[in-house]
C-alpha cells in the first residue's frame, strides 16, 4: 500500500509527465520561424503586411518574424551575420558576394522599371536635348538605370550623357523636390518616387524597356529578389518554399485586389488619390511573372553592360554572372500567371 506522501509524489510525477508530453506535442506542431529583414520604410512592407493580415505564413507552414532595419547596408550585415534568414536586395549584390566565396543566392521578384523623367512641358525630345542640362540621379554613380542610360545614349545616338550633361547624385527625396521645383531638367529615381513624379505631371523621356530594346535585350530583366544563404535554404527546404509561396500569394492579392490596396493605403503614404493610383499601377507593372532561360540570358547580357560602365565599384570581383546567383529550385514558383479581377486594375 502506498502511503499518503508516496501517493502525493506519484501524483506530482504523473502531472509533470503529462505536462511535458503536452508541451512536447505542442512544440512538435509549432511551425518553424523564418526571420525576414526589411527596410523600416521600404515598399516591401506592403507585401509583408498582406502576408501577416491574411496569415499566409501559417497557410504555408511557417511563422514569419520580421526585423526592421535602417539601411541596405544593415540588411546585408544582418544576413551575413545570421541575424536574419532572408532579405530583399538586388542580384548584382548577390553575384558580388558569390565572387567572394559567400554562398548566397536569390529568388527574383521584380523587374527594372521607370527610366529618365522630365517635366511634362520639357522641350526635350530625346537624351541629346539634355546637353549641358542638369540631371539628377538617386542611388549614386553606380545606379543601374543611370549606367544603362549611359550605354543607351551611346548606342542609340553616340551621345556621352555622363560627360555632356551636368549629373548630380542625391537622395530620392531631394531629387523629387528639385524636379518639382524645376531646378533639375531630368531625373532618375526609384520606382515609387518616379510614380509620384508621374502623378505630378512629369513624363518619361525614355523608359527602361526602350533602353533595353536599344541594347538588343528583349526579355524582362530582374532587379530585386529574396536573398538567402543557400546552405540555410537546403537545410530548411520546406520553410523557404513556404515563404516563397506566401510571397507570391501576397503579390497575387496586390495584383488583383483594389480592395486590398484600400486596406493598406496608410502604408503607402500616398499624398493624394492620384499618387495612390499611380503607386498601384507601377507596383503591378514591376512584378516579375517569369524567370527562365531567356530571362537568365538577358540578365547575363545586362551584367556585361553594367560591368563595362560601373566597373569594380558595381560588380566587385565578379567577371560574369554566376550560374548559382539565382536559386531556381521549383519552376512553378518562377513562372506565375497573375489573375486580374478587373482589367482597370492593371
Amino acid at each position: 500500500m502506498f502511503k499518503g506522501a508516496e501517493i502525493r509524489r506519484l501524483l506530482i510525477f504523473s502531472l509533470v509527465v503529462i505536462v511535458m508530453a503536452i508541451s512536447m506535442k505542442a512544440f512538435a506542431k509549432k511551425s518553424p520561424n523564418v526571420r525576414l529583414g526589411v527596410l523600416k520604410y521600404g515598399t516591401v512592407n506592403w507585401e509583408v503586411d498582406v502576408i501577416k493580415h491574411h496569415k499566409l505564413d501559417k497557410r504555408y507552414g511557417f511563422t514569419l518574424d520580421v526585423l526592421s532595419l535602417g539601411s541596405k547596408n544593415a540588411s546585408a550585415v544582418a544576413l551575413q551575420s545570421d541575424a536574419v534568414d532572408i532579405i530583399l536586395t538586388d542580384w548584382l549584390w548577390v553575384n558580388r558576394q558569390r565572387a567572394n566565396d559567400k554562398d548566397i543566392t536569390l529568388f527574383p521578384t521584380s523587374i527594372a522599371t521607370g527610366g529618365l523623367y522630365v517635366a511634362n512641358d520639357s522641350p526635350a525630345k530625346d537624351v541629346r536635348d539634355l546637353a549641358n542640362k542638369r540631371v539628377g540621379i538617386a542611388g549614386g554613380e553606380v545606379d543601374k538605370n543611370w549606367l544603362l542610360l549611359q550605354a543607351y545614349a551611346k548606342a542609340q545616338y553616340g551621345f556621352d550623357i555622363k560627360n555632356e550633361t551636368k549629373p548630380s547624385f542625391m537622395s530620392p527625396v531631394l531629387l523629387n523636390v528639385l524636379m518639382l521645383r524645376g531646378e533639375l531638367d531630368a531625373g532618375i529615381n526609384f520606382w515609387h518616387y518616379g510614380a509620384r513624379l508621374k502623378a505630378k505631371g512629369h513624363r518619361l523621356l525614355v523608359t527602361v524597356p526602350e533602353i533595353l530594346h536599344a541594347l538588343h535585350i528583349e526579355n524582362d530583366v530582374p532587379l530585386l529578389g529574396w536573398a538567402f544563404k543557400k546552405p540555410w535554404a537546403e537545410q530548411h527546404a520546406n520553410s523557404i518554399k513556404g515563404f516563397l509561396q506566401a510571397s507570391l500569394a501576397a503579390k497575387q492579392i496586390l495584383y488583383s485586389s483594389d480592395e486590398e490596396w484600400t486596406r493598406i493605403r496608410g502604408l503607402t503614404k500616398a499624398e493624394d488619390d492620384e499618387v495612390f493610383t499611380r503607386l498601384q499601377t507601377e507596383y503591378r507593372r514591376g512584378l516579375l511573372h517569369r524567370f527562365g532561360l531567356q530571362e537568365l540570358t538577358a540578365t547575363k547580357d545586362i551584367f556585361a553592360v553594367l560591368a563595362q560602365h560601373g566597373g569594380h565599384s558595381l560588380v566587385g570581383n565578379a567577371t560574369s554572372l554566376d550560374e548559382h546567383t539565382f536559386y531556381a529550385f521549383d519552376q512553378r514558383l518562377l513562372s506565375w500567371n497573375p489573375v486580374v479581377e478587373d482589367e482597370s486594375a492593371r
Side-chain angles (χ1 to χ4, degrees):
M1 295 293 293
F2 289 109
K3 295 182 180 179
E6 292 174 330
I7 291 174
R8 285 194 297 274
R9 284 197 295 271
L10 183 61
L11 287 173
I12 292 171
F13 177 76
S14 300
L15 182 61
V16 170
V17 170
I18 291 170
V19 170
M20 288 180 64
I22 293 173
S23 298
M24 290 178 69
K25 185 176 180 181
F27 178 80
K29 288 186 175 181
K30 184 181 179 182
S31 57
N33 286 28
V34 172
R35 302 169 302 164
L36 176 66
V38 297
L39 296 183
K40 187 174 183 180
Y41 301 109
T43 57
V44 66
N45 289 286
W46 307 350
E47 181 180 319
V48 170
D49 184 85
V50 173
I51 291 174
K52 285 293 191 180
H53 179 78
H54 293 278
K55 297 181 173 57
L56 297 175
D57 54 344
K58 305 302 182 185
R59 181 188 303 177
Y60 291 106
F62 70 99
T63 298
L64 185 62
D65 289 339
V66 181
L67 176 64
S68 294
L69 300 164
S71 68
K72 187 175 179 180
N73 285 340
S75 295
V77 171
L79 179 64
Q80 293 179 85
S81 64
D82 295 322
V84 298
D85 303 313
I86 303 172
I87 63 171
L88 186 74
T89 190
D90 64 88
W91 59 267
L92 275 166
W93 179 83
V94 172
N95 197 66
R96 200 160 60 241
Q97 303 313 305
R98 296 195 65 82
N100 292 331
D101 298 322
K102 296 177 181 178
D103 200 0
I104 298 174
T105 188
L106 177 140
F107 182 90
T109 61
S110 62
I111 62 174
T113 59
L116 181 66
Y117 287 90
V118 296
N120 200 43
D121 59 358
S122 169
K125 298 293 191 296
D126 61 55
V127 293
R128 293 171 295 182
D129 296 325
L130 297 176
N132 299 313
K133 302 293 185 181
R134 300 156 299 176
V135 179
I137 302 103
E141 293 187 49
V142 292
D143 175 78
K144 288 170 283 297
N145 281 0
W146 170 235
L147 297 175
L148 290 173
L149 183 65
Q150 292 175 47
Y152 162 83
K154 285 186 178 180
Q156 191 77 355
Y157 301 107
F159 180 66
D160 186 350
I161 194 170
K162 180 179 179 180
N163 293 308
E164 296 189 45
T165 64
K166 300 174 181 177
S168 297
F169 305 97
M170 60 194 70
S171 74
V173 174
L174 179 58
L175 192 153
N176 269 25
V177 168
L178 296 180
M179 287 288 289
L180 294 172
R181 287 180 182 172
E183 296 179 27
L184 288 173
D185 299 290
I188 296 173
N189 214 334
F190 303 137
W191 78 266
H192 47 296
Y193 289 97
R196 285 173 161 83
L197 289 176
K198 273 191 176 182
K200 299 303 179 183
H202 285 62
R203 63 182 172 88
L204 281 163
L205 183 65
V206 58
T207 68
V208 168
E210 289 170 340
I211 290 172
L212 296 180
H213 178 75
L215 298 174
H216 308 291
I217 299 170
E218 303 299 337
N219 296 95
D220 285 337
V221 176
L223 175 64
L224 301 176
W226 299 118
F228 40 87
K229 292 182 177 179
K230 194 172 181 180
W232 174 84
E234 290 170 346
Q235 293 167 15
H236 302 84
N238 289 335
S239 294
I240 186 60
K241 184 172 184 178
F243 171 80
L244 295 177
Q245 287 174 318
S247 173
L248 289 178
K251 288 182 175 67
Q252 177 66 80
I253 292 171
L254 288 171
Y255 193 92
S256 61
S257 173
D258 288 342
E259 290 75 16
E260 190 71 7
W261 280 91
T262 300
R263 188 187 68 78
I264 68 163
R265 177 165 178 159
L267 292 177
T268 70
K269 303 188 185 303
E271 298 86 343
D272 52 47
D273 290 345
E274 181 63 30
V275 169
F276 178 64
T277 300
R278 182 57 61 182
L279 287 170
Q280 264 186 284
T281 301
E282 297 303 320
Y283 173 89
R284 288 165 169 167
R285 184 172 291 155
L287 294 178
L288 178 70
H289 300 307
R290 182 180 184 278
F291 189 78
L293 183 59
Q294 291 179 326
E295 289 75 21
L296 180 60
T297 300
T299 307
K300 289 179 179 178
D301 293 338
I302 283 291
F303 177 88
V305 173
L306 293 174
Q308 178 184 351
H309 291 272
H312 187 272
S313 298
L314 180 66
V315 302
N317 295 324
T319 57
S320 63
L321 179 65
D322 188 303
E323 62 179 5
H324 297 296
T325 289
F326 296 103
Y327 188 61
F329 68 95
D330 188 339
Q331 287 300 318
R332 290 172 299 173
L333 290 174
L334 290 167
S335 177
W336 62 289
N337 295 316
V339 177
V340 183
E341 296 173 353
D342 180 356
E343 282 299 317
S344 65
R346 285 183 179 269

